[in-house]
Amino acid sequence: MNQYIADNKDRFINELMDMLRIPSVSADPKFKQDVMRTADFVAQKLRDAGADNVELCETAGYPIVYGEKVMDPALPTVLVYGHYDVQPADPYELWHSPPFEPVIKDGKIYARGACDDKGQMYMHVKAFEVMMQNNALPCNVKFMIEGEEEVGSANLATFVKNNKEKLEADVILISDTGMLGNDTPSITTGLRGMSYVEVEVTGPNRDLHSGLYGGAVANPINILCQMIASMHDENNHITIPGFYDNVQELSQEERAEMARAPFDLEKYKKALDLSDVHGEEGYSTMERNSIRPTLDVNGIWGGYIGEGAKTVIASKAFAKISMRLVPNQTSEEITEKFKKHFESIAPKSVKVEVRPHHGGEPVVTPTDSVAYQAAARAYEDTFGVKPVPVRSGGSIPIVPMFKSELGLDSVLMGFGLDTDAIHSPNEHFGVFNFLKGIETIPLFYRYYAEMSK
Ligand code: BES
Ligand code: MN
Ligand code: MN
């Protein structure tokens, strides 16, 4: 199979670059035709690779690309999940080359979606082709590639609930996460959940002259800043009452185990041009960004932000706030607690409104399953070292639903790196990582089929 990969790698890369040229930004309706075209592209590539019954499953939003190869109903079935939509590329001016004109520089493919998730999802399409061409697909496979992951997967959730039979499988396989480094492979064993809200603070009924009214009426921007600042105490604990009630604390043994994963704080700071890190007292950086919940402002606006100065007290101020959740918090519970708290700390001089956006639940995946063990063996074969289990801070809202709706665990075989700049300008994916993924995935199938017997 490795010979086949070596002989075809240039074509694999070119096909990925073709897909990266289509700006499939799900958040912005301006790109609707492009998102649809990307779905067609993925469907065609699945057909070309040898999948049967390839179809676009319509939803209330963007279609889900489905395809399958049933070798023998008696064999186990792997359900591959990925997404063909991407984050907006803004701010465009910070890209060294245009986000939808992929280029290869220093062995990396630069484009929006190169890593998250077109590059990683396409490894599975090509690994499938490799297995088909070498008569080496040892079990059944189903593909489910969606176009709304970056906007919360609400329609996929409905699809999963309504198509349990179609999606019957033994395990879910996903490459939409990262690993520690190219010489320290790791497998993701947990994802944080999310509660996302938008808040609006209203002061006077119109923008006012800040000299005539300043000091005498509430400035909603000042108030919003105070309210947000008060939500962390001096130890960077979140002050929302009950916020930590359901947080599962790790045992000392589990924390010691976590601390064994290689992590270089100096390198971490240097990569981000930081003189120091920041976070919850009593927890390491690795813990802060994986097993602990957070509250972060993602955007804040109001008042005058144009050229020069305008003396004004704005009528309204806004912020978008995300809270990353860990077991056993739930998005519904935390959204409710946030809302109640935010309303309770608002002074009488303003009105506030809290509007919930999408949510998602946290999830932890087992390491003692056949599927995890198969994945670990596959990485060990291709990287030469045993992969480390690592809980990630990111979220993939559909993963906990695979468990709750289909009863299936996911194996999160990521090949990206933290430095790949996903969601940022100059996102990229190593050619090494892309090809390593294509090499490692068939080994997972082989070991999974063998060990399931
Ligand atoms: N692939 C990412 C999530 C991810 C990246 C998890 C790296 C672990 C490591 C996914 O596309 C993503 O960006 N998810 C969003 C959530 C969604 C509801 C917008 C996130 O985590 O912000
Ligand atoms: Mn992703
Ligand atoms: Mn993403």
Side-chain angles (χ1 to χ4, degrees):
M1 284 196 272
N2 286 349
Q3 190 55 49
Y4 185 88
I5 298 174
D7 292 343
N8 291 279
K9 67 178 191 330
D10 291 341
R11 174 172 58 82
F12 291 175
I13 293 165
N14 284 328
E15 289 171 4
L16 171 58
M17 307 243 294
D18 286 342
M19 180 168 33
L20 292 169
R21 278 188 198 97
I22 320 176
S24 52
V25 179
S26 51
D28 186 345
K30 181 169 92 212
F31 294 101
K32 183 162 182 216
Q33 287 313 315
D34 297 304
V35 184
M36 302 294 286
R37 266 204 300 140
T38 312
D40 289 330
F41 182 100
V42 174
Q44 192 52 48
K45 293 300 180 195
L46 276 175
R47 277 185 208 107
D48 294 348
D52 299 325
N53 303 322
V54 175
E55 55 175 327
L56 295 190
C57 305
E58 296 307 325
T59 71
Y62 288 119
I64 292 151
V65 184
Y66 179 86
E68 62 183 21
K69 188 77 201 175
V70 177
M71 303 300 284
D72 176 350
L75 289 170
T77 300
V78 175
L79 177 56
V80 175
Y81 164 78
H83 62 95
Y84 63 83
D85 64 321
V86 301
Q87 284 273 318
D90 312 74
Y92 278 69
E93 65 276 14
L94 295 183
W95 285 77
H96 302 316
S97 57
F100 299 108
E101 294 172 29
V103 291
I104 302 184
K105 229 173 56 191
D106 304 326
K108 296 169 190 115
I109 306 167
Y110 284 82
R112 169 58 82 233
C115 175
D116 183 11
D117 180 42
K118 284 174 171 169
Q120 296 212 72
M121 172 265 284
Y122 206 58
M123 297 181 317
H124 286 271
V125 181
K126 293 297 100 174
F128 172 61
E129 175 189 323
V130 171
M131 290 186 285
M132 290 298 286
Q133 291 298 318
N134 289 275
N135 292 317
L137 182 62
C139 51
N140 307 313
V141 56
K142 295 177 177 176
F143 289 90
M144 179 171 66
I145 315 295
E146 71 153 320
E148 299 187 304
E149 195 279 338
E150 299 292 7
V151 290
S153 303
N155 293 309
L156 179 65
T158 311
F159 180 80
V160 168
K161 284 194 182 113
N162 294 337
N163 290 275
K164 292 189 179 169
E165 216 162 290
K166 186 189 185 85
L167 301 175
E168 222 169 86
D170 296 280
V171 69
I172 310 269
L173 180 61
I174 305 176
S175 295
D176 192 23
T177 53
M179 50 177 198
L180 291 176
N182 284 348
D183 44 19
T184 39
S186 56
I187 299 177
T188 301
T189 54
L191 294 162
R192 286 195 284 195
M194 167 123 75
S195 158
Y196 200 109
V197 297
E198 191 167 320
V199 298
E200 179 180 314
V201 177
T202 307
N205 59 7
R206 60 184 165 88
D207 289 6
L208 302 173
H209 189 289
S210 66
L212 297 184
Y213 290 93
V217 300
N219 178 328
I221 302 176
N222 293 8
I223 302 274
L224 176 59
C225 290
Q226 282 168 4
M227 290 172 73
I228 287 170
S230 77
M231 284 194 274
H232 286 94
D233 69 14
E234 66 281 8
N235 294 319
N236 281 310
H237 290 298
I238 294 154
T239 58
I240 298 172
F243 188 83
Y244 294 97
D245 278 1
N246 298 319
V247 169
Q248 197 178 74
E249 297 286 341
L250 265 61
S251 68
Q252 281 314 323
E253 292 75 48
E254 287 170 308
R255 292 181 69 185
E257 182 61 33
M258 258 190 87
R260 286 179 40 206
F263 176 73
D264 184 335
L265 186 60
E266 288 313 309
K267 229 165 107 184
Y268 184 85
K269 291 195 282 195
K270 198 148 180 263
L272 301 174
D273 277 328
L274 292 169
S275 335
D276 204 359
V277 290
H278 182 95
E280 189 181 0
E281 191 73 23
Y283 294 91
S284 70
T285 295
M286 287 275 265
E287 292 173 332
R288 287 170 179 171
N289 68 19
S290 63
I291 60 159
R292 299 298 296 167
T294 63
L295 182 152
D296 276 296
V297 178
N298 294 252
I300 181 164
W301 69 102
Y304 182 70
I305 53 165
E307 281 299 313
K310 179 186 180 195
T311 48
V312 64
I313 291 173
S315 166
K316 283 179 187 293
F318 304 85
K320 291 182 193 281
I321 297 172
S322 68
M323 287 159 281
R324 296 277 171 175
L325 314 179
V326 300
N328 295 310
Q329 294 176 300
T330 70
S331 58
E332 197 184 314
E333 164 222 343
I334 292 299
T335 301
E336 195 45 48
K337 285 176 176 165
F338 175 93
K339 187 172 189 294
K340 209 168 143 204
H341 178 64
F342 196 79
E343 286 166 357
S344 80
I345 60 173
K348 248 181 39 211
S349 51
V350 297
K351 292 193 243 346
V352 299
E353 202 184 310
V354 176
R355 289 188 285 268
H357 278 250
H358 49 69
E361 308 313 322
V363 68
V364 170
T365 62
T367 52
D368 56 3
S369 65
V370 165
Y372 182 89
Q373 296 301 330
R377 275 174 74 182
Y379 276 81
E380 190 172 357
D381 280 5
T382 52
F383 287 87
V385 266
K386 258 201 174 59
V388 216
V390 174
R391 277 174 62 173
S392 169
S395 310
I396 308 177
I398 202 67
V399 172
M401 296 203 52
F402 287 145
K403 183 73 185 172
S404 59
E405 296 298 325
L406 304 177
L408 296 178
D409 284 315
S410 297
V411 182
L412 299 163
M413 284 181 70
F415 293 89
L417 299 176
D418 279 359
T419 48
D420 285 345
I422 63 171
H423 293 206
S424 304
N426 305 306
E427 174 178 355
H428 54 272
F429 191 38
V431 171
F432 169 88
N433 301 68
F434 178 62
L435 296 174
K436 260 298 187 242
I438 299 172
E439 201 189 318
T440 308
I441 291 164
L443 291 170
F444 166 80
Y445 281 80
R446 194 222 279 172
Y447 291 135
Y448 181 65
E450 266 176 34
M451 293 161 76
S452 300
K453 273 183 194 145

